[in-house]
């Protein structure tokens, strides 16, 4: 099933996964917008502390649900407190910076937010167990997050009125949620696996309620590509190095259905960068193995780092994004 909001028409495009190093929102926005002309993204700066991290930012987006930081991590609370206010403040600062550097921007623009299953696997209920253990809490999180995302998208549209928005839901915990591999709050046991149909329906309900194309990103092994496709995603973002030939059929069916693949091929931490064309050779090989025409490659595959860049230096983050853009262009110039 294809989403009713298809991915924007891009050709030889690259984007970032989300997180960037450091604490300077203006510098991060300048880098993301400058290096990624076709699909810049809203940077996240987790080095600032609680509320700027993926889970804290996601908790800050929730409507009528509140969370605070405890020694064990994020936990739901009765009322908004300092951590909620901090999350709102960091997001506002990031949006101010993005708005400054996207004046007159009329192309695609990507936002990121933690997905409902990773949020449920990461935040504890008031009594201390992960929200994932409670099906009712999982439904509440998905509904609250959906409303928060609606408001977030409306805010960005006011700030960057010419942008064609794309939303990325970060679901690094989704494979573990489906496999029954998420540890209990105590860490001594594992929570029961979530039924795949339940997981799919929750994602579908979020995606259908938002009037933008939605990408799901997971840098874990075993990304459930068929499940995501049935849920209506416009794209799947993954660490390309974790793919195996067992997933060829799933990838091929997704591409045939119109799903865009965001291939994480550029190292997200300091390391030797080969030439840009060489970094996407595995993508070309896979494309040929799947039997698709080379002329489609630059339209259906985008290049990204393997994961977020929060652990890199600012200088390397700039290089990695510029390198991603060059690698994406090489898929157009030399698709075979």
């Amino acid at each position: 099933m294809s989403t009713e909001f298809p991915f924007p028409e891009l050709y030889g495009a690259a984007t970032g996964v989300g997180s960037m190093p450091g604490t300077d929102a203006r510098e991060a926005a300048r880098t993301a917008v400058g290096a990624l002309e076709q699909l810049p993204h809203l940077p996240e700066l987790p080095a600032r502390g609680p509320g700027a991290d993926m889970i804290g930012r996601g908790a800050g987006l929730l409507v009528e649900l509140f969370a605070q930081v405890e020694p064990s991590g994020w936990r739901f609370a009765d009322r908004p407190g300092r951590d909620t206010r901090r999350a709102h403040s960091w997001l506002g600062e990031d949006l101010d910076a993005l708005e400054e550097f996207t004046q007159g921007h009329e192309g695609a623009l990507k936002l990121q937010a933690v997905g409902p299953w990773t949020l449920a696997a990461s935040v504890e209920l008031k009594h201390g167990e992960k929200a994932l253990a409670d099906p009712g809490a999982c439904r509440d999180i998905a509904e609250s997050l959906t409303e928060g995302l609606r408001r977030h998208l409306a805010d960005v549209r006011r700030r960057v009125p010419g942008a064609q928005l794309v939303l990325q839901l970060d679901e690094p915990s989704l494979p573990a949620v489906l496999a029954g591999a998420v540890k209990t709050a105590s860490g001594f046991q594992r929570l029961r696996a979530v039924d795949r149909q339940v997981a799919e329906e929750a994602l579908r309900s979020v995606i259908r309620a938002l009037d933008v194309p939605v990408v799901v990103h997971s840098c874990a092994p075993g990304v459930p590509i068929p499940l995501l496709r049935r849920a209506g995603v416009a794209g799947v973002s993954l660490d390309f190095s974790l793919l195996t030939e067992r997933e060829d059929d799933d990838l091929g069916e997704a591409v045939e259905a119109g799903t865009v693949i965001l291939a994480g091929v550029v190292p997200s931490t300091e390391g030797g960068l080969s030439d840009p064309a060489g970094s996407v050779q595995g993508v070309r090989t896979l494309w040929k193995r799947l039997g698709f025409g080379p002329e489609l490659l630059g339209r259906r595959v985008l290049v990204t780092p393997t994961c977020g860049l929060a652990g890199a230096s600012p200088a390397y983050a700039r290089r990695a994004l510029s390198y991603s853009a060059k690698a994406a262009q090489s898929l157009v110039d030399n698709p075979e």
Side-chain angles (χ1 to χ4, degrees), residues 109-171:
L109 176 65
K110 182 167 74 71
L111 311 175
Q112 304 82 223
V114 65
W117 291 111
T118 295
L119 198 55
S122 304
V123 182
E124 297 176 357
L125 298 170
K126 293 169 195 173
H127 61 72
E129 189 48 89
K130 299 279 184 69
L132 186 64
D134 183 333
C138 292
R139 287 192 294 272
D140 290 346
I141 288 170
E143 292 172 3
S144 175
L145 180 63
T146 300
E147 181 56 32
L149 289 171
R150 280 200 196 102
R151 298 180 185 187
H152 182 42
L153 291 165
D155 184 18
V156 178
R157 284 195 175 100
R158 285 191 293 269
R159 292 169 176 268
V160 194
Q164 186 177 2
L165 298 182
V166 174
L167 176 67
Q168 173 183 304
L169 292 177
D170 290 315
E171 285 283 16

Side-chain angles (χ1 to χ4, degrees), residues 29 135 148 173 282 292:
S173 297
F292 294 119

Side-chain angles (χ1 to χ4, degrees), residues 150-203:
R150 280 200 196 102
R151 298 180 185 187
H152 182 42
L153 291 165
D155 184 18
V156 178
R157 284 195 175 100
R158 285 191 293 269
R159 292 169 176 268
V160 194
Q164 186 177 2
L165 298 182
V166 174
L167 176 67
Q168 173 183 304
L169 292 177
D170 290 315
E171 285 283 16
S173 297
L174 180 58
V177 166
L178 297 173
V182 175
K183 290 184 178 180
T184 58
S186 69
F188 295 122
Q189 294 179 293
R190 298 181 188 278
L191 296 173
R192 181 180 300 175
V194 170
D195 182 87
R196 297 179 81 87
Q197 190 168 344
V198 172
E200 178 185 322
E201 183 52 43
L203 287 168

Side-chain angles (χ1 to χ4, degrees), residues 32-56:
V33 174
L36 304 166
E37 293 184 8
Q38 291 197 60
L39 187 56
H41 67 93
L42 172 66
E44 301 166 357
L45 300 173
R48 293 179 301 198
D53 60 300
M54 177 179 70
I55 300 303

Side-chain angles (χ1 to χ4, degrees), residues 211-301:
D211 58 351
V212 296
V214 174
V215 170
V216 168
H217 168 75
S218 180
C219 50
V223 177
I225 297 170
L227 183 155
L228 296 177
R229 184 166 60 84
R230 291 192 302 269
V233 300
V236 176
S237 173
L238 37 72
D239 181 341
F240 193 81
S241 70
L242 299 178
L243 288 175
T244 67
E245 289 195 21
R246 292 194 303 272
E247 289 150 313
D248 278 8
D249 288 345
D250 292 343
L251 270 172
E253 290 171 6
V255 172
E256 283 184 337
T259 308
V260 170
I261 306 301
L262 287 78
V265 296
V266 176
S268 56
T269 54
E270 315 276 341
L273 293 175
S274 64
D275 68 291
S279 70
V280 287
Q281 187 54 46
V283 177
R284 294 189 187 91
T285 301
L286 172 64
W287 201 253
K288 189 176 298 184
R289 196 164 71 232
L290 293 176
F292 294 119
E295 72 283 353
L296 282 177
L297 183 53
R299 299 183 186 278
R300 306 300 285 280
V301 175

